[in-house]
Amino acid sequence: MHLFRILPFLVLMLFSGSSFASTNGYLIAFIDFTCGACKGLHEQKATFEALMKERGLAVYYAPVPQSGNPDTAWRERMYYVTRDLIGEQKANEVMASYFDAQGGLGEQSEPLSTYAQVEAWLGLKIDGVRWRSLMRDSESKGFGVPQVQKAINLFVDGGFETFPAFALVENGSFTPIRTSGNLEQKLKQLSSSKVLGLGGDKK
C-alpha cells in the first residue's frame, strides 16, 4: 500500500494524545530502547528538543521494538499507554527508566522481555503509578499495541535500518530524513535547515 494512502491515519493515531498543535511540524525520532545511541540521544534530550523548537518543530518519540512484534513489545506498549493515559511527563520517566535498565558500558542489561519484568522494573523506578491496574485497563481498551504497530509501519515505510532515525511531518507530508554516522554526526546533520527541508526542497 502506498505511504500516502495510509499516512494521514497513521500520523493521526500516532500523535493522538500529544500536544503539538502550536508547532509548524513534527520531527519523529524513531528509537529502540536497547540502542546505545538512543540512550545518548535521551541524555541530550533537552538540547536536542530546544534545537528543533528553534526550527518550529516539536519532537515526538516513536519506540520501535527490534522484534517487530507489537504484541510482545511490553516496553514500547507501556510507553504509549503511559503517554495516552497519564501524560507526557510520566512517559518521559518511563523512557528514562528503560534506558537506565540497559546499564552502563560493559554492564549486564536488564532483559525486560516480559510484562512481569517491565512491571517490576517500573514499580521499583517510578513512584505513584499502579502499573498492574494501568496495564489491565489499557489492555481492555486496546491501548499500546496500535501505537507500536503504527510506529513499526512508519519506520518500515521510511526505509530506515538503524536507530535513532528521523522523519519530518509537515503540511501533511511524511519525509524521511537521511542521516548517517554516529549520534554526534547525525545530530550535526539534523541541525541543518537544508537537511530538515525547511524552506527548501525535500528529497
Side-chain angles (χ1 to χ4, degrees):
M1 184 179 294
H2 196 277
L3 176 61
F4 291 109
R5 296 179 188 169
I6 61 174
L7 176 63
F9 175 72
L10 286 176
V11 172
L12 177 64
M13 292 300 293
L14 192 61
F15 292 156
S16 63
S18 303
S19 54
F20 296 134
S22 62
T23 61
N24 298 329
Y26 321 115
L27 185 79
I28 305 178
F30 294 96
I31 61 172
D32 166 17
F33 287 129
T34 66
C35 161
C38 298
K39 184 175 183 178
L41 177 65
H42 178 72
E43 291 169 352
Q44 301 183 47
K45 186 173 183 289
T47 302
F48 171 57
E49 291 183 2
L51 176 64
M52 294 301 103
K53 186 176 181 180
E54 288 178 6
R55 285 153 176 74
L57 300 174
V59 177
Y60 184 87
Y61 297 94
V64 177
Q66 284 189 334
S67 68
N69 184 351
D71 293 316
T72 57
W74 291 106
R75 289 168 297 194
E76 294 79 6
R77 288 172 62 181
M78 189 60 86
Y79 170 84
Y80 286 115
V81 166
T82 306
R83 192 180 189 102
D84 285 349
L85 295 183
I86 54 179
E88 186 173 354
Q89 181 177 347
K90 282 296 182 184
N92 287 337
E93 291 181 43
V94 166
M95 184 187 295
S97 176
Y98 290 149
F99 285 128
D100 286 345
Q102 293 183 58
L105 291 176
E107 296 180 15
Q108 182 66 39
S109 298
E110 285 284 333
L112 298 183
S113 58
T114 67
Y115 169 57
Q117 290 168 333
V118 168
E119 180 195 30
W121 178 261
L122 292 179
L124 289 171
K125 288 290 181 177
I126 302 177
D127 294 329
V129 181
R130 298 173 62 184
W131 295 107
R132 184 172 295 277
S133 174
L134 177 63
M135 191 46 138
R136 186 165 56 245
D137 179 61
S138 69
E139 286 181 318
S140 68
K141 294 182 179 179
F143 285 131
V145 172
Q147 292 93 329
V148 175
Q149 184 62 65
K150 290 171 180 63
I152 293 170
N153 291 346
L154 285 175
F155 185 84
V156 171
D157 287 332
F160 301 115
E161 296 181 353
T162 62
F163 295 95
F166 307 94
L168 180 67
V169 176
E170 186 186 29
N171 299 323
S173 65
F174 174 87
T175 306
I177 304 300
R178 302 304 174 194
T179 57
S180 59
N182 59 28
L183 177 62
E184 182 179 349
Q185 292 167 328
K186 287 185 175 185
L187 294 181
K188 186 174 181 180
Q189 292 162 37
L190 275 178
S191 69
S192 166
S193 295
K194 182 178 180 181
V195 170
L196 287 175
L198 300 176
D201 295 332
K202 298 179 185 177
K203 293 183 180 181

